[in-house]
Amino acid sequence: MAKYRNRFLPLLLIFLWIATVAVFSGCGGRAKSNSNIPGYGGEIPAEPNYAKPPAGDNQTLLQGFYWEMNTGAYAGKYPEEANLWNLLASRAGELANAGVTAVWLPPANKGMAGASSVGYDTYDLWDLGEFNQKGSTRTKYGTKAELLSAIGALHGAGIKVYYDAVLNHRMGADQSETVPLADGGSTGAWTGFTFAGRNGAYYPATWNWRNFNSADGRLFEGKSWNDSFDEDYLMGSNVDYTVPAVRDELDAWGDWIINTIGCDGFRLDAIKHVSSSFTNHWIESVRGKSPAKNPFFVGEAWFEERSRLKAYLAAVSNSSLRVFDFPLRAVFAQLSGSGGGFNLATLAGAGLVNDPGDRDRAVTFVDSHDTDRDGQATPIRQYKYQAYAYILLREHGIPDVFWKDFYTYGMKEGLTRLLKARKYFAYGPGYEVSNNDNDVYGYVRAGDGSAGRGLVLLIADGPAGGTGTAVKSINSRQPNTTYYDYTGHFTETVTTDANGYAEFKVKLNAADGWSIWVPVL
């Protein structure tokens, strides 16, 4: 019997060693991604332990909400999102540490649906969760006092705050009116807004049908359509921007949001349906009353053709207005649905961000509450990290990260790695790699002269579970410099020659198909 114990003892020790490694590698070691985005079931390796250069000043935006927030299964899984303003305040330090420099808030004013409103059914712009209107004092996101606390916490962490302004329409009127129509006759329209719960606080005006030009798409008598770039009517009661009282009130409201509430800029909803001349006027009005703040403006003008987006910018004719880069996002959608058949070399010219005239007016993004909405809009699913690497490390454009990707889809760890790559390394002129092809796209940031800055980005659209590796000879623009892969997908270093060239690698699979080579300090 002792003979058999001696024979099996080594096997038992080996088994125990394997079990111990398995347990501890699940608790520590390589960090695992729990992303439920298809194709991202792999592990995110630990970040290499090299010194980083000082953090820079790259602007990076976070969309701080999503459409389904605090509803259905999301409410049960993320109960903390029931009070978004408090949650943002508690996470301000975490976001700043990751590299977020601004947060885009949802519309914070009272909507037609009261405490259930996402915010796009604008009822009262002056009620930020302070007055008992539409069945609730608070909005979906909290009270005005909590909003002010969140803004203070974000500012304390060095993060700016942008307000989502819905100026196109009003909904949830308090009274119906009989309104004469431009084509004869009359109609009953919900256009009487008394704002009785607010009782004149902050601004004493009430609204009636004369503040609008149409409702339900029917033009009112004596009215004409606004000079909107796209179709003027979108929904609800359509605001008439030729009415002096309307312009005066919205000018006062913009000033109030910036200089009293404390926001630093605006996202302008459905802006292609709003009067272009008024948009220009309103931006100048807000800027004129806030010269020290230099407010930020980005418009949602949903055109997937670059020429149309450029034409819209020309129509508004205000250099302070940026726009979301929907043409680039359309390219990401093609990449996502290509099954690896997309020509990655075409990324060199994709979107507004690569337009020589308007590239610095692009706010780049991968998904938003409009493009990722359960049952209504299809998000980018495949090669999503690759898309984020592209926008976060580019020289031009201001990238926007979506809350649902960061906190809901389990991409937080991987996105934090990309955000920190932007924060510490993405500086200096950007260069397209000369040998980009169908399967691998490369891009170089040359650095700004500070030690440790600059990078070489490679992204690939290999298949899920692919095992191949691509090797590219690339001019890093930094001679005699040793690089390591900040993503941790490769553990070796490479050193450039006297001309700045070295062979850089990227994995040819969906889950790990991006590498960010940065200088060793």
Side-chain angles (χ1 to χ4, degrees):
M1 194 69 183
K3 175 178 72 174
Y4 290 106
R5 281 200 302 269
N6 292 338
R7 177 181 298 174
F8 288 110
L9 183 59
L11 294 177
L12 178 61
L13 292 173
I14 291 171
F15 173 79
L16 291 173
W17 177 80
I18 291 171
T20 302
V21 170
V23 169
F24 281 99
S25 63
C27 298
R30 300 176 75 191
K32 290 179 179 282
S33 167
N34 64 348
S35 173
N36 64 3
I37 294 289
Y40 298 99
E43 297 176 341
I44 301 220
E47 181 182 331
N49 187 25
Y50 290 105
K52 293 187 286 287
D57 55 359
N58 281 327
Q59 296 184 70
T60 308
L61 178 61
L62 173 82
Q63 180 179 355
F65 65 101
Y66 58 100
W67 190 266
E68 306 89 352
M69 182 172 271
N70 195 37
T71 63
Y74 296 98
K77 192 171 183 180
Y78 307 102
E80 67 275 13
E81 293 178 353
N83 295 286
L84 179 61
W85 302 149
N86 293 342
L87 182 59
L88 283 171
S90 70
R91 291 181 176 173
E94 171 184 272
L95 294 172
N97 181 61
V100 171
T101 63
V103 170
W104 154 21
L105 301 183
N109 50 270
K110 196 67 61 68
M112 176 176 68
S116 300
S117 171
V118 178
Y120 295 93
D121 53 346
T122 301
Y123 168 69
D124 187 356
L125 288 174
W126 298 92
D127 181 0
L128 304 182
E130 185 179 7
F131 305 100
N132 187 3
Q133 301 189 111
K134 297 303 171 185
S136 172
T137 297
R138 61 166 283 160
T139 67
K140 177 177 181 176
Y141 310 108
T143 66
K144 179 188 175 186
E146 290 166 343
L147 170 64
L148 295 176
S149 294
I151 293 171
L154 290 164
H155 283 168
I159 295 175
K160 293 185 176 182
V161 177
Y162 302 151
Y163 189 107
D164 198 331
V166 184
L167 306 180
N168 176 76
H169 53 269
R170 297 289 183 275
M171 301 179 76
D174 303 299
Q175 299 172 352
S176 176
E177 300 180 292
T178 300
V179 181
L181 296 173
D183 58 3
S186 62
T187 187
W190 286 91
T191 48
F193 291 77
T194 63
F195 311 120
R198 181 163 53 85
N199 194 30
Y202 304 121
Y203 204 87
T206 59
W207 285 40
N208 59 44
W209 73 267
R210 292 175 179 81
N211 296 95
F212 306 100
N213 64 16
S214 61
D216 301 321
R218 304 185 72 183
L219 193 65
F220 296 161
E221 182 180 85
K223 298 288 187 172
S224 58
W225 296 113
N226 290 310
D227 62 330
S228 307
F229 187 81
D230 206 350
E231 185 175 354
D232 185 27
Y233 184 79
L234 180 63
M235 64 179 69
S237 297
N238 198 63
V239 177
D240 184 352
Y241 293 101
T242 67
V243 177
V246 168
R247 298 165 72 93
D248 290 346
E249 181 173 348
L250 291 178
D251 287 353
W253 179 79
D255 176 28
W256 182 68
I257 290 293
I258 296 295
N259 293 309
T260 301
I261 302 303
C263 293
D264 304 285
F266 294 93
R267 181 257 188 189
L268 303 176
D269 180 67
I271 199 64
K272 67 180 183 178
H273 300 287
V274 174
S275 162
S276 296
S277 61
F278 174 76
T279 299
N280 177 56
H281 158 85
W282 190 74
I283 290 172
E284 288 307 300
S285 172
V286 174
R287 290 181 69 245
K289 294 171 183 175
S290 317
K293 271 200 167 183
N294 189 25
F296 178 92
F297 301 90
V298 57
E300 180 228 350
W302 195 328
F303 296 113
E304 294 186 352
E305 304 83 15
R306 184 197 293 185
S307 61
R308 291 282 284 163
L309 201 53
K310 286 177 63 64
Y312 171 74
L313 286 170
V316 175
S317 189
N318 193 303
S319 60
S320 295
L321 178 63
R322 294 176 171 88
V323 288
F324 286 100
D325 196 343
F326 281 96
L328 178 63
R329 198 269 173 185
V331 171
F332 291 151
Q334 294 172 27
L335 168 62
S336 177
S338 69
F342 186 82
N343 181 2
L344 288 180
T346 61
L347 289 176
L352 187 70
V353 74
N354 286 300
D355 182 85
D358 289 318
R359 60 193 181 187
D360 288 318
R361 300 175 72 180
V363 173
T364 53
F365 72 106
V366 180
D367 268 318
S368 72
H369 68 294
D370 284 322
T371 63
D372 182 345
R373 194 179 299 181
D374 290 357
Q376 298 182 49
T378 302
I380 302 296
R381 293 193 179 276
Q382 193 77 299
Y383 310 118
K384 197 158 201 174
Y385 281 118
Q386 286 88 328
Y388 270 114
Y390 182 94
I391 67 171
L392 285 166
L393 303 180
R394 208 152 190 83
E395 178 184 2
H396 301 285
I398 296 175
D400 172 35
V401 175
F402 185 31
W403 181 286
K404 209 174 186 183
D405 290 333
F406 196 75
Y407 284 115
T408 307
Y409 286 151
M411 298 176 68
K412 179 180 177 182
E413 185 177 357
L415 286 176
T416 298
R417 190 77 53 83
L418 291 172
L419 285 164
K420 288 193 173 184
R422 175 173 177 80
K423 180 178 180 179
Y424 292 109
F425 304 106
Y427 298 94
Y431 295 94
E432 301 293 341
V433 169
S434 61
N435 56 358
N436 285 334
D437 56 35
N438 282 3
D439 300 317
V440 178
Y441 172 80
Y443 183 75
V444 171
R445 297 296 296 274
D448 59 2
S450 300
R453 289 187 174 175
L455 59 86
V456 175
L457 166 68
L458 289 172
I459 61 178
D461 63 349
T467 58
T469 296
V471 182
K472 289 280 190 176
S473 178
I474 294 174
N475 183 357
S476 69
R477 311 285 169 160
Q478 297 200 53
N480 304 315
T481 301
T482 299
Y483 284 76
Y484 69 98
D485 179 19
Y486 190 63
T487 69
H489 292 149
F490 297 95
T491 57
E492 69 265 32
T493 60
V494 296
T495 301
T496 60
D497 64 20
N499 296 312
Y501 281 86
E503 293 190 335
F504 296 92
K505 297 179 180 180
V506 65
K507 294 187 176 183
L508 296 175
N509 64 56
D512 303 320
W514 74 99
S515 55
I516 306 167
W517 298 87
V518 299
V520 174
L521 271 178

